[in-house]
Amino acid sequence: RKEVEQDPGPFNVPEGATVAFNCTYSNSASQSFFWYRQDCRKEPKLLMSVYSSGNEDGRFTAQLNRASQYISLLIRDSKLSDSATYLCVVRTNTGNQFYFGTGTSLTVIP
Amino acid sequence: DTAVSQTPKYLVTQMGNDKSIKCEQNLGHDTMYWYKQDSKKFLKIMFSYNNKELIINETVPNRFSPKSPDKAHLNLHINSLELGDSAVYFCASSQQVTGELFFGEGSRLTVL
């Protein structure tokens, strides 16, 4: 079983739409959670960390459910520039190891 | 200032050759990593060093040998390159216990 599972998509949505990505992780001892964004032929970059209480950054909202081992990312009012691959990342509390999901591809259509 | 820098960005070489990729970070982090991203886009951890000591060594052929001369540098040497080694190799760093991963721009290796 993979450490982190996410739906690869692709998600094709019109501008202005709201889109949600989900991710599950298998290690209940996981400590930190992140969403990264990767543009084509570029390196992954941190989009936002995910906290137990949920957090919001502009149009982006991240949620964590430790009981269900589930992480989500909500993007409101999608922009063309949101087109990218979104990676769910989980960090364990031992070995300082980061586990990546396979990424979810998003294309925002005019 | 570039936080994590790796060179070269592009590498095209023949099967059987030996090549190296260098990585440096100026963030003061104590942990550095090498990840491989293949054509299916999955990011897979290869190695991790904490303060120059190897702490993660995933199932990677012996042809791959990391070297960390100090905690700001982590180089990757690959012997006897094979077609399947073609991928993008990302260097990354983090601060142990807290913090996220910072990635370099990647080194795209093509083995012919």
Side-chain angles (χ1 to χ4, degrees), chain A residues 28-83:
Chain A
S28 60
S30 297
Q31 182 184 47
S32 307
F33 309 89
F34 310 91
W35 282 101
Y36 274 71
R37 171 192 168 129
Q38 186 173 23
D39 292 285
C40 188
R41 302 179 78 86
K42 297 283 189 182
E43 74 274 25
K45 290 184 179 175
L46 179 70
L47 177 67
M48 57 198 304
S49 301
V50 187
Y51 304 117
S52 297
S53 54
N55 47 301
E56 191 174 307
D57 182 3
R59 298 180 293 108
F60 299 84
T61 301
Q63 297 275 358
L64 167 64
N65 184 323
R66 283 190 185 268
S68 303
Q69 295 180 200
Y70 172 92
I71 306 160
S72 66
L73 176 68
L74 184 77
I75 305 175
R76 290 181 299 279
D77 188 23
S78 299
K79 311 288 184 195
L80 296 177
S81 57
D82 294 335
S83 298

Side-chain angles (χ1 to χ4, degrees), chain A residues 2 31-32 34 36 38 41-46 49 87 89 91 95-102, chain B residues 31 33 35 37 41-43 45 55-56 58 90 94-105 108:
Chain A
K2 287 182 183 173
Q31 182 184 47
S32 307
F34 310 91
Y36 274 71
Q38 186 173 23
R41 302 179 78 86
K42 297 283 189 182
E43 74 274 25
K45 290 184 179 175
L46 179 70
S49 301
L87 298 156
V89 184
R91 177 177 180 163
N96 201 22
Q97 195 159 357
F98 291 79
Y99 292 97
F100 283 77
T102 51
Chain B
T31 307
Y33 308 79
Y35 282 85
Q37 188 170 46
K41 306 300 182 188
F42 182 59
L43 264 167
I45 182 73
I55 57 171
I56 295 172
E58 293 292 310
F90 286 103
S94 75
Q95 189 61 25
Q96 196 172 21
V97 178
T98 63
E100 71 270 20
L101 268 178
F102 289 81
F103 283 89
E105 292 183 333
R108 185 173 294 273

Side-chain angles (χ1 to χ4, degrees), chain B residues 6 41 47 50 53 55 60 63 72 75 77 88 91:
Chain B
Q6 51 183 114
K41 306 300 182 188
F47 301 102
N50 177 259
E53 287 194 26
I55 57 171
V60 176
R63 299 182 294 105
N75 304 322
H77 187 75
V88 181
C91 178

